Amino acid sequence: MKMSEASDGSREVREPLVHKEMAGSKPEQPWMVYLSTFVAVCGSFAFGSCAGYSSPAQSAIRNDLSLTIAEFSLFGSLLTFGAMIGAITSGPIADLLGRKGAMRVSSAFCVVGWLAIFFAKGVVALDLGRLATGYGMGAFSYVVPIFIAEIAPKTFRGALTTLNQILICTGVSVSFIIGTVVTWRVLALIGIIPCAVSFLGLFCIPESPRWLAKMGRDTEFEAALRKLRGKNADISQEAAEIQDYIETLEKLPKAKMLDLFQRRYIRSVLIAFGLMVFQQFGGINGICFYTSSIFEQAGFPTSLGMIIYAVLQVVITALNAPIVDRAGRKPLLLLSATGLVIGCLIAAVSFYLKAHDMAHDAVPVLAVVGIMVYIGSFSAGMGAMPWVVMSEIFPINIKGVAGGMATLVNWFGAWAVSYTFNFLMSWSSYGTFIIYAVVNALAIVFVIAIVPETKGKTLEQIQALVNP
């Protein structure tokens, strides 16, 4: 009798986890995973909308509100300053409120920021709005890829995760294109749309099962996993693996900031932080934020240049996503950095000719070719690969602290470049691009000398390679 009762009790425990598919039936499509990913990447699109706003709006905002170069440079760079704060605080928020809670906070900050920009009559409201959208952007940059990785089945986790970068580029590009035909205030209102879709969509999708398991909410964990995998899917093995992983994680000592400087971690830190520094100080955010100004100074039609830039960025990012695991990280980084050097040098030649009143007809053509080579090369490797390598290079016990610090370094670089870009261009337009060319040339040396190839290796093999 007791054995029968135990058997019945065991069946009751296992039943919610094991709903075997009937023989001969087709595997159930994980539609909830697709919907959840769509809602999450609306945050990525909002990120891109924030990043792409200042370039098409620059001239109109400066004229309407009578801003100096210094005031507009501050406005542009406050986005990245806010993102630094968002990157620092989003980790604790995501752990406390959940991944969905963190995305709601991000959406709310972006909406408030866009409204402040829309109603701005002076520099204070404009800057506060930019700071708020920056905070939301920085928080999205942390929580969206984590949420997608935690809900996606391992069979196509990589494909879904790449949507984050593709939607960021799409958001930038859409802002560039729409910004050529609407006013800067209307463009700010349009920026609210993806935030609102994300905020409302979060009510229709489950929380990350891994976060629920980590918080000890076992019933909700199983319900969320069941919702994501389908009512007839067998989730028993995956549920057990998640629980085992959470238990292992809880046993590991919590890493502190100073732990990153231990000898066994120093190469991992050097690789990740170095890639972030070269990604940003190679000039990407200065060029992205002020593309319209570059084309205007070179004498190329601004609207046409912005549209070409926008389309090229999305196309190359989308084409690059499927080949990351075939080509390898290191070859893509080297190819990308080489293209960045070439693009910077072409743009430098263009502005040198203009400064010395030579070859007038060649100046706009060379400028647009240089910028297109630059953005195409960045999208092909240096845009996504530092983040991919960072996710692989750290041991699991320091991944949270180290990843947060690497993100902070990245956003600091973005702020520094976006703030100084206009001042550098005023000093010497061709000199600015020569400086960026030198930085990208140093990136080539860094990748060759320091960065290992991680393609096709397990995380344990990567650790043995990096920290022998």
Side-chain angles (χ1 to χ4, degrees):
M1 183 70 179
K2 286 182 180 179
M3 284 183 66
S4 175
E5 287 173 359
S7 176
D8 290 343
S10 174
R11 194 182 301 113
E12 285 177 12
V13 172
R14 298 290 291 176
E15 232 171 19
L17 295 180
V18 185
H19 288 277
K20 299 266 186 189
E21 294 172 25
M22 295 180 65
S25 65
K26 292 183 179 179
E28 190 172 356
Q29 286 293 322
W31 297 112
M32 185 54 70
V33 172
Y34 300 148
L35 176 62
S36 300
T37 301
F38 168 76
V39 170
V41 296
C42 283
S44 307
F45 190 95
F47 176 144
S49 300
C50 296
Y53 178 76
S54 60
S55 185
Q58 179 174 359
S59 297
I61 290 178
R62 286 194 62 193
N63 291 335
D64 290 355
L65 301 181
S66 302
L67 302 186
T68 64
I69 288 179
E71 287 172 332
F72 191 82
S73 293
L74 178 62
F75 168 75
S77 66
L78 277 173
L79 185 78
T80 48
F81 186 78
M84 280 193 279
I85 303 172
I88 295 169
T89 58
S90 56
I93 290 172
D95 285 342
L96 180 66
L97 302 180
R99 307 332 187 198
K100 286 171 60 178
M103 285 189 279
R104 284 195 187 101
V105 170
S106 303
S107 298
F109 267 91
C110 285
V111 169
V112 170
W114 285 125
L115 288 174
I117 292 171
F118 175 77
F119 289 110
K121 302 295 183 185
V123 71
V124 175
L126 197 69
D127 287 349
L128 288 175
R130 187 70 164 169
L131 189 66
T133 56
Y135 181 90
M137 186 175 88
F140 273 133
S141 74
Y142 174 85
V143 74
V144 169
I146 284 180
F147 178 73
I148 294 173
E150 288 181 347
I151 66 166
K154 61 184 178 181
T155 49
F156 50 93
R157 181 179 297 138
L160 292 179
T161 305
T162 57
L163 288 174
N164 176 53
Q165 186 68 24
I166 292 171
L167 265 291
I168 290 172
C169 292
T170 304
V172 172
S173 298
V174 169
S175 287
F176 278 13
I177 294 170
I178 295 178
T180 63
V181 295
V182 301
T183 67
W184 62 273
R185 292 187 190 275
V186 172
L187 188 59
L189 278 183
I190 292 171
I192 294 174
I193 295 173
C195 308
V197 172
S198 177
F199 189 88
L200 296 173
L202 288 167
F203 291 100
C204 305
I205 63 173
E207 179 57 90
S208 161
R210 284 168 172 79
W211 179 78
L212 292 168
K214 185 180 177 184
M215 301 302 289
R217 293 156 64 171
D218 293 343
T219 303
E220 293 172 73
F221 155 66
E222 291 174 13
L225 192 59
R226 163 77 54 218
K227 200 169 183 180
L228 288 163
R229 300 296 177 259
K231 63 181 180 180
N232 296 319
D234 179 1
I235 62 169
S236 56
Q237 183 177 348
E238 185 177 6
E241 288 173 355
I242 291 172
Q243 294 283 22
D244 289 344
Y245 174 79
I246 296 298
E247 288 174 15
T248 302
L249 198 61
E250 293 296 325
K251 292 174 185 175
L252 291 172
K254 292 195 174 180
K256 299 175 184 176
M257 194 74 65
L258 291 177
D259 292 341
L260 302 183
F261 300 99
Q262 293 179 19
R263 187 174 178 181
R264 57 180 165 166
Y265 302 136
I266 201 70
R267 192 175 175 215
S268 295
V269 169
L270 178 64
I271 291 165
F273 284 30
L275 287 174
M276 295 302 180
V277 166
F278 284 116
Q279 182 197 61
Q280 290 302 327
F281 284 91
I284 182 58
N285 272 296
I287 292 168
C288 177
F289 283 12
Y290 306 112
T291 307
S292 62
S293 175
I294 295 170
F295 289 142
E296 189 178 331
Q297 289 184 48
F300 190 84
T302 301
S303 297
L304 178 60
M306 300 281 282
I307 291 169
I308 297 171
Y309 179 110
V311 172
L312 182 68
Q313 180 175 237
V314 173
V315 169
I316 292 183
T317 303
L319 291 175
N320 188 57
I323 68 168
V324 171
D325 287 318
R326 290 186 225 164
R329 284 62 159 151
K330 196 163 183 172
L332 286 174
L333 283 167
L334 290 172
L335 180 66
S336 177
T338 303
L340 291 173
V341 173
I342 294 169
C344 286
L345 291 177
I346 294 172
V349 169
S350 170
F351 283 106
Y352 181 85
L353 292 174
K354 184 184 178 187
H356 291 82
D357 206 22
M358 298 161 59
H360 297 287
D361 293 340
V363 169
V365 175
L366 286 172
V368 76
V369 168
I371 296 302
M372 295 312 152
V373 169
Y374 181 96
I375 194 60
S377 300
F378 185 85
S379 301
M382 195 58 85
M385 287 307 100
W387 298 102
V388 172
V389 173
M390 185 194 77
S391 71
E392 298 170 330
I393 210 75
F394 290 124
I396 191 169
N397 59 314
I398 67 161
K399 189 168 280 189
V401 173
M405 280 302 297
T407 304
L408 180 61
V409 167
N410 186 279
W411 282 118
F412 174 78
W415 170 79
V417 169
S418 60
Y419 183 71
T420 58
F421 182 80
N422 282 324
F423 296 110
L424 285 172
M425 289 292 283
S426 298
W427 160 69
S428 171
S429 50
Y430 63 86
T432 301
F433 285 97
I434 290 173
I435 290 171
Y436 293 153
V438 170
V439 173
N440 287 306
L442 291 174
I444 295 172
V445 176
F446 177 82
V447 171
I448 292 171
I450 304 293
V451 179
E453 179 54 70
T454 59
K455 180 189 77 168
K457 294 182 174 65
T458 65
L459 297 181
E460 292 74 23
Q461 289 171 334
I462 293 169
Q463 289 309 307
L465 179 66
V466 175
N467 304 301

